[in-house]
């Protein structure tokens, strides 16, 4: 059974940092690209960052370039999203996606 389980969300003040994790199981993680998406209230889900199977190639939405970093540990079947200099507009539910599967999402709220 394919599973993606996110963790690490929470409430943080503007300018703060959070690190999201996504633990994968049920498929050969090291063979697949992985992505982080987010959905803000009243908005469509958008791609935030992606990483190739090897971790060599990454891509980011313009709105997060220079602030967010996606990485992966194929030995631990886990993909991460390090989020720095967080802004209120980063608020939303963050989803991990890969191998035709989606996680349940983790809430990130940036507010003072």
């Amino acid at each position: 059974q394919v599973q993606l389980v996110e963790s690490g969300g929470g409430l943080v003040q503007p300018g703060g940092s959070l690190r999201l994790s996504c633990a994968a199981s049920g498929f050969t993680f090291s063979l697949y690209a992985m992505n982080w998406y987010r959905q803000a209230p009243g908005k469509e889900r958008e791609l935030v960052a992606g990483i190739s199977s090897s971790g060599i190639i990454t891509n980011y939405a313009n709105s997060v370039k220079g602030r967010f970093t996606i990485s992966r540990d194929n030995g631990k079947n886990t993909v991460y999203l390090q989020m720095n200099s967080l802004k209120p507009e980063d608020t939303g539910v963050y989803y991990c996606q890969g191998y035709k599967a989606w996680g349940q999402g983790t809430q990130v709220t940036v507010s003072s």
Side-chain angles (χ1 to χ4, degrees):
Q1 179 183 2
V2 176
Q3 275 196 314
L4 298 173
V5 180
E6 302 100 334
S7 61
L11 173 64
V12 63
Q13 292 187 341
S17 297
L18 282 175
R19 188 194 197 203
L20 306 183
S21 299
C22 172
S25 61
F27 65 104
T28 307
F29 179 78
S30 61
L31 295 182
Y32 293 91
M34 297 295 295
N35 302 296
W36 283 99
Y37 285 77
R38 71 184 177 191
Q39 188 164 19
K43 295 189 176 181
E44 293 188 354
R45 194 172 296 188
E46 63 172 347
L47 178 64
V48 174
I51 188 166
S52 64
S53 57
S54 66
I56 293 175
I57 300 172
T58 58
N59 62 277
Y60 298 92
N62 287 334
S63 58
V64 308
K65 278 181 182 176
R67 300 187 298 122
F68 289 13
T69 302
I70 188 171
S71 62
R72 66 191 295 160
D73 184 336
N74 285 345
K76 295 182 178 180
N77 288 358
T78 302
V79 60
Y80 305 97
L81 187 67
Q82 177 67 43
M83 306 186 294
N84 298 329
S85 303
L86 282 161
K87 305 175 181 180
E89 51 264 42
D90 294 317
T91 294
V93 179
Y94 283 69
Y95 298 91
C96 175
Q97 186 273 329
Y99 187 64
K100 310 173 193 177
W102 291 83
Q104 82 287 350
T106 186
Q107 177 70 45
V108 171
T109 302
V110 184
S111 175
S112 54

